[in-house]
Amino acid sequence: MEFSTNTSVSIHQVKTAALAVGIFTEGVLSPAADVIDRASHGAIRAVMKTEFTGKANSTLVLRNLPGVAAARVVLVGLGKQAEYTARIHARAEHAFVSACVSARVAEATTTLAAIACPGSTVTDRARDAAAAACEATYHYEATFGKPDADARPKLKKLSLMLARSESAAAELGLSQGSALGEGVSMARTLGNLPGNICTPTYLGETAKKLGREFKSIKVTVLDGKQIAALGMGSFLSVSKGSDQPPRFIVMHYKGKTPAKTPAKAKAGPIVLVGKGITFDSGGISIKPAGTMDEMKFDMCGAASVLGTFRALAELGLPGEVVGLIPTCENLINGSANKPGDVVTSMSGQTIEILNTDAEGRLILCDALTYAERFKPSAVIDIATLTGACVTALGSVNSGLFSQDDALAEAILKAGKQSGDPAWRMPLEDAYQVQLKSNFADMANIGGPPAGAVTAACFLSRFAKAYRWAHLDIAGTAWKGGAVKGSTGRPVPLLLQFLLNQSV
Ligand code: BES
Ligand code: MN
Ligand code: ZN
């Protein structure tokens, strides 16, 4: 997708296939809508009496308005003016681009980003517009034998109309939004690819490809032997139940300039750790068949790290970021983990595997121990970790767990800014007793109560050497049912978090 700014003053003279103008409820027109209404002798106000009320997310296409050069004017509802927010703006841009995709236009122009809204800058709004456009034009066809050309969005160019004084700020936002959009699309496609294609080897190759594309990312992919040499007995115990070999992916991004940090603190890198289970059958503690296909999405944490790295490198952000991805399948051959097995993690702590389906924490714990060598300023792991988190928070918020208030606040803020929210969950020592084992240093499950919390408690035992936060994205990384597919979350949150560190 190509983005540009247009600073022409006469909106009605802009030649474009589709022009978005914003309408609030209670008969309030945005300045651009007012210009078009006057140029067309009241065409907009006329429909506002009948079929268009300005309800948020609604759109109405008007064609061939007299006195207007645009082939189509798309009215986009913004809701009540007093309640207008950056989120409503982002959804409005999404609704407009969706209308453009339906109308099969190749190019479009929006005036929505010019409308001020509280707490957002032009850069923010341009970023949101570009990201929403990428989102609305995303299309998966990798595994169709006969891709449907008609289903492929035609829209290739989006132009933002704004005042000349705002165009530089908008251009910056467009580059951020475009990079974010690419990162989200990459994460979505990796998530959507089936388990027989998107294997641990495939994820390793994808990381290497990123390293070839961007000089700022150095990639190392470790194989089973090298993983064994590191002593990652917990991670390996999961992988040995499958014929697919495991991989441990290490990505190291270095921006041209260091991130701005308080004078005293010589800050180490931020480390992102992504769960990369390319298929989770549950193992011997096998899952029910009903929606087991969705367990191909169990590598969405890994996909979000890869997508964030793509965006990071594309933007050339300052600072240093390390990405770690332990990746394997959770299957059931004769060497698979059995309930009651005890394994030794890289940290030396032993783990009694009471449920082979609690495998995410078994691969993440060794990656968290590996992260220590970078002397990180912060570590964030991202994992489709527990069904319990879906029960607690549904598909709206990702679960955030951290003992570090400042880090947690920064992540929550990034989530709000990017429209990719997280909700902080408790992580107290009082829950740790649930992990007690009679035969090892800990059990890998804590029983049914507070399942998302005990999973985080388990991870916390391996993350004591640095500031750490855990994002449980089990409810947010993909959608099921008729709209089944990966969402690309939490790439927007992660990129926003890194953007905030760099300014
Ligand atoms: N990948 C799943 C978590 C999951 C389940 C995500 C359903 C989204 C929807 C994870 O590996 C898992 O199976 N967790 C178990 C843990 C339990 C055995 C303690 C779960 O949530 O049931
Ligand atoms: Mn599982
Ligand atoms: Zn899993």
Side-chain angles (χ1 to χ4, degrees):
M1 192 90 177
E2 227 181 88
F3 299 101
S4 59
T5 53
N6 179 340
T7 56
S8 140
V9 282
S10 30
I11 296 172
H12 62 292
Q13 285 171 353
V14 171
K15 287 205 177 73
T16 181
L19 176 76
V21 297
I23 311 280
F24 295 101
T25 53
E26 294 159 358
V28 182
L29 280 70
S30 66
D34 191 54
V35 169
I36 296 298
D37 185 60
R38 284 167 201 274
S40 63
H41 305 292
I44 295 184
R45 284 195 164 82
V47 295
M48 286 171 68
K49 295 204 178 80
T50 50
E51 56 261 67
F52 197 78
T53 61
K55 217 177 98 198
N57 290 326
S58 62
T59 56
L60 181 69
V61 182
L62 304 175
R63 289 170 130 271
N64 304 321
L65 292 188
V68 176
R72 297 167 191 77
V73 170
V74 182
L75 309 186
V76 185
L78 304 177
K80 268 196 185 157
Q81 189 173 27
E83 293 167 8
Y84 192 52
T85 63
R87 273 315 104 211
I88 297 172
H89 164 251
R91 282 199 289 271
E93 299 280 14
H94 191 283
F96 169 56
V97 172
S98 299
C100 291
V101 170
S102 304
R104 306 212 50 72
V105 301
E107 144 292 318
T109 305
T110 175
T111 62
L112 302 176
I115 305 170
C117 61
S120 95
T121 64
V122 182
T123 302
D124 295 336
R125 295 197 296 278
R127 178 173 63 234
D128 290 348
C134 291
E135 173 90 37
T137 50
Y138 175 81
H139 179 63
Y140 176 89
E141 59 179 37
T143 43
F144 286 93
K146 248 206 306 182
D148 177 2
D150 291 338
R152 206 176 288 158
K154 271 180 75 180
L155 189 69
K156 292 286 174 296
K157 285 185 193 170
L158 182 68
S159 182
L160 264 57
M161 288 204 76
L162 323 113
R164 187 172 302 276
S165 61
E166 296 186 316
S167 76
E171 291 286 350
L172 173 65
L174 287 178
S175 61
Q176 293 174 348
S178 168
L180 170 58
E182 293 287 321
V184 168
S185 297
M186 178 187 189
R188 287 175 79 176
T189 297
L190 286 170
N192 290 335
L193 283 169
N196 62 330
I197 293 176
C198 186
T199 59
T201 307
Y202 184 92
L203 286 180
E205 291 303 321
T206 303
K208 282 189 197 157
K209 218 167 102 191
L210 261 189
R212 286 194 295 272
E213 196 175 335
F214 298 99
K215 292 281 163 296
S216 54
I217 306 178
K218 297 271 173 290
V219 179
T220 315
V221 179
L222 307 186
D223 63 16
K225 266 192 189 158
Q226 294 166 302
I227 297 166
L230 284 167
M232 294 183 166
S234 183
F235 173 20
L236 275 181
S237 78
V238 177
S239 101
K240 69 185 176 19
S242 155
D243 295 348
Q244 286 290 340
R247 292 288 183 261
F248 187 69
I249 303 169
V250 182
M251 298 187 286
H252 205 140
Y253 169 83
K254 271 195 186 136
K256 287 211 178 72
T257 49
K260 286 202 183 109
T261 45
K264 280 177 290 178
K266 154 93 183 72
I270 289 167
V271 179
L272 304 178
V273 181
K275 172 178 172 183
I277 295 289
T278 57
F279 188 77
D280 181 11
S281 70
I284 302 283
S285 315
I286 195 166
K287 288 183 179 294
T291 53
M292 206 205 271
D293 67 291
E294 293 184 17
M295 282 299 121
K296 72 173 181 177
F297 295 117
D298 211 17
M299 36 55 71
C300 283
S304 75
V305 174
L306 287 160
T308 301
F309 266 67
R310 158 169 275 288
L312 192 61
E314 183 90 48
L315 284 173
L317 287 191
E320 195 184 346
V321 188
V322 171
L324 301 177
I325 297 174
T327 172
C328 68
E329 288 185 329
N330 187 22
L331 281 183
I332 328 181
N333 66 20
S335 322
N337 278 330
K338 304 174 293 298
D341 284 1
V342 174
V343 298
T344 303
S345 68
M346 185 180 176
S347 72
Q349 300 177 91
T350 60
I351 303 159
E352 184 187 15
I353 300 174
L354 290 177
N355 189 315
T356 65
D357 198 9
E359 86 298 339
R361 60 198 82 181
L362 294 176
I363 73 168
L364 289 167
C365 67
D366 283 339
L368 289 172
T369 300
Y370 187 88
E372 288 179 11
R373 68 186 56 201
F374 299 102
K375 303 204 174 359
S377 60
V379 177
I380 304 174
D381 78 73
I382 307 104
T384 48
L385 204 63
T386 64
C389 194
V390 189
T391 304
L393 298 175
S395 61
V396 178
N397 284 289
S398 300
L400 169 66
F401 302 78
S402 182
Q403 277 140 346
D404 187 307
D405 291 341
L407 179 60
E409 284 306 322
I411 293 171
L412 292 174
K413 180 180 163 205
K416 280 201 185 107
Q417 283 172 298
S418 59
D420 181 6
W423 193 268
R424 192 164 178 192
M425 301 277 283
L427 179 57
E428 297 158 62
D429 285 344
Y431 292 96
Q432 292 279 359
V433 291
Q434 287 180 238
L435 296 173
K436 195 183 152 16
S437 158
N438 289 349
F439 305 105
D441 297 339
M442 71 194 85
N444 78 327
I445 57 167
V453 184
T454 52
C457 283
F458 179 96
L459 296 177
S460 75
R461 296 177 178 220
F462 301 85
K464 294 209 153 100
Y466 41 69
R467 299 168 72 207
W468 165 75
H470 157 61
L471 281 168
D472 193 331
I473 58 166
T476 52
W478 77 90
K479 293 176 179 157
V483 291
K484 194 189 292 178
S486 166
T487 61
R489 289 178 69 180
V491 175
L493 177 154
L494 293 171
L495 186 68
Q496 190 64 48
F497 174 80
L498 295 171
L499 277 169
N500 292 349
Q501 306 296 306
S502 68
V503 291

